[in-house]
Amino acid sequence: MKNPRFIISGGGTGGHIYPAVAIANELKSRFPEAEFLFVGAKDKMEMQKVPHAGYAIKGLWISGIQRKLTLDNAMFPLKLASSMWNSFKIIKSFKPDVVIGTGGFASGAVLKAASMLNIPTVIQEQNSYPGITNKLLAKRANKICVAYENLERFFPKDKMILTGNPVRQDLINEASKSEAFAYFNLDANKKTLLVLGGSLGARRINQLIEKELDFFLSQNIQIIWQCGKLYLNDYVKYNEKANVQVVAFIDRMDLVYAAADVVISRSGASSVSELCIVGKPTIFIPSPNVAEDHQTKNAKAISDKNGAILIKESELEAQFENIFSDLISNESKQAELSQNIKKLAKPNATKDIVEEIIKLIN
């Protein structure tokens, strides 16, 4: 096939955008002449991130339904009609061979329009509990690439392929610890704790780290604390403490993972997939404020197989210090978690998803 054309839609959060870009990059490496168009929501982060990755994007006027009565909710039917109309226009003018959706409300309109025009569609579902958009689209989709087992109650079994989630290519090959220590200016004689709250940051994790800083430092630990851009002003003052580095964002994830002995993290789908690949002993603190509590379900899928430790936000006060002391001082426990989480990794996810897309072109 000469020059295939792909529309890719997904956004609202990094967890939907990153897989979309990874799939595009892999398709581009197979089909250097292919044409790509991304479709996102007008005021969301994909409008910056996608052009930054080198792809064109069009924005739809769409947003999710809030859980309370708001003006946005009253506008929802109008936004839905507008985004469906524009999706039809975009698809008819671009003429894609396949339309790929990675979640978020914009992808709902685009994939719905594509299936009504009989264009093949692929859904990539990152979570162990699917979002409402993908559940509604599943009946008409041609393929559904999933990252977790046992999703038959949400999706037609004959369309599902267990592929895993796309992760950054640079994480597949392990970075060297010495390069990581030099890059972050770390002390090789101390254990390193990496704290991750997702791209925007996690308020409850930040509060926990602030409260426990002296406890950590008393255990001869150095900390790299990614607090998120929303919270940097609140916590940047702790950079004055020895062995503490507070940053809004980490650009060299390959090196920071190589440096880390233990990780404290939210359990969004892309974080979980990355931590499986790098195989680090992890304490997951899921966000309880996400749709269908899917972060708890993601973390539980790992902790049930003894691949990580799960602490709910409501249990942090009572349990955190004991669990952390136990883990940081117990190297055999660290090794056990590390081996078990690695067994759940799917390093070929992006390639496997692209294979399914190629089958639909042919």
Side-chain angles (χ1 to χ4, degrees):
M1 165 129 204
K2 262 189 64 178
N3 301 347
R5 302 169 74 82
F6 302 103
I7 285 181
I8 303 180
S9 182
T13 66
H16 293 316
I17 299 163
Y18 182 73
V21 170
I23 291 166
N25 290 344
E26 179 65 25
L27 281 165
K28 198 172 189 173
S29 75
R30 310 268 186 112
F31 302 104
E33 302 299 311
E35 297 205 28
F36 295 89
L37 178 64
F38 277 70
V39 180
K42 261 189 178 142
D43 51 353
K44 297 290 189 187
M45 62 197 278
E46 57 265 29
M47 301 310 288
Q48 279 79 48
K49 298 274 186 202
V50 168
H52 188 69
Y55 296 100
I57 185 166
K58 290 195 170 196
L60 300 176
W61 184 47
I62 185 78
S63 58
I65 299 177
Q66 310 300 313
R67 290 176 190 187
K68 47 190 183 293
L69 273 172
T70 63
L71 180 64
D72 255 5
N73 277 359
M75 300 289 278
F76 184 74
L78 194 59
K79 288 184 175 184
L80 188 60
S82 153
S83 57
M84 283 301 298
W85 170 253
N86 283 312
S87 295
F88 279 117
K89 280 193 355 195
I90 290 166
I91 289 169
K92 283 182 164 165
S93 83
F94 188 78
K95 300 185 173 63
D97 294 291
V98 182
V99 176
I100 302 138
T102 59
F105 283 92
S107 77
V110 182
L111 268 78
K112 177 79 176 147
S115 65
M116 288 168 79
L117 293 167
N118 292 321
I119 290 163
T121 60
V122 177
I123 292 171
Q124 196 265 321
E125 173 54 63
Q126 296 97 34
N127 289 297
S128 57
Y129 196 97
I132 187 163
T133 307
N134 283 351
K135 283 194 279 195
L136 292 172
L137 293 168
K139 228 183 221 90
R140 298 286 300 265
N142 296 69
K143 302 266 174 148
I144 305 166
C145 297
V146 297
Y148 291 90
E149 293 164 344
N150 307 319
L151 295 187
E152 291 80 6
R153 63 187 197 281
F154 307 113
F155 297 142
K157 195 174 177 175
D158 56 329
K159 295 180 177 182
M160 273 197 303
I161 303 102
L162 182 67
T163 55
N165 282 324
V167 299
R168 296 167 230 253
Q169 219 33 52
D170 57 1
L171 298 182
I172 309 277
N173 314 314
E174 214 169 313
S176 85
K177 206 156 185 159
S178 58
E179 189 191 344
F181 274 56
Y183 185 88
F184 289 103
N185 199 14
L186 295 166
D187 179 344
N189 299 313
K190 290 184 188 296
K191 287 257 195 268
T192 305
L193 167 64
L194 170 61
V195 180
L196 299 172
S199 50
L200 299 175
R203 177 188 293 154
R204 187 65 188 90
I205 290 182
N206 287 335
Q207 290 168 342
L208 172 78
I209 303 306
E210 180 177 45
K211 174 176 168 276
E212 303 291 357
L213 263 186
D214 293 331
F215 161 74
F216 292 137
L217 298 174
S218 71
Q219 303 200 31
N220 198 30
I221 289 170
Q222 54 200 344
I223 303 167
I224 299 178
W225 175 5
Q226 183 255 323
C227 66
K229 64 179 183 182
L230 298 181
Y231 299 99
L232 186 64
N233 292 342
D234 300 334
Y235 299 106
V236 70
K237 61 188 178 207
Y238 294 111
N239 275 326
E240 291 163 18
K241 278 188 182 276
N243 301 308
V244 178
Q245 296 183 44
V246 183
V247 293
F249 181 78
I250 299 167
D251 54 0
R252 287 299 303 270
M253 290 304 293
D254 56 333
L255 293 180
V256 86
Y257 282 133
D261 293 291
V262 170
V263 180
I264 293 173
S265 177
R266 282 297 198 211
S267 46
S270 49
S271 302
V272 172
S273 299
E274 288 186 359
L275 287 160
C276 290
I277 297 268
V278 296
K280 292 291 168 174
T282 300
I283 296 172
F284 284 123
I285 304 172
S287 167
N289 316 313
V290 291
E292 318 284 4
D293 198 19
H294 68 250
Q295 285 205 5
T296 300
K297 297 178 175 95
N298 291 349
K300 207 170 167 320
I302 308 292
S303 65
D304 283 353
K305 296 184 173 168
N306 194 24
I309 295 166
L310 164 59
I311 311 180
K312 292 184 171 169
E313 281 192 357
S314 57
E315 294 165 352
L316 285 171
E317 292 298 321
Q319 298 186 359
F320 180 78
E321 287 192 5
N322 288 340
I323 288 174
F324 186 85
S325 302
D326 226 30
L327 178 62
I328 201 79
S329 59
N330 186 339
E331 295 206 344
S332 67
K333 173 73 173 165
Q334 292 169 31
E336 185 187 358
L337 289 177
S338 196
Q339 282 162 3
N340 289 338
I341 197 171
K342 261 205 142 123
K343 288 178 193 157
L344 304 172
K346 300 256 187 304
N348 298 320
T350 316
K351 290 187 170 69
D352 293 344
I353 292 163
V354 163
E355 286 300 330
E356 296 302 327
I357 294 166
I358 289 171
K359 285 178 197 167
L360 289 177
I361 310 175
N362 300 335

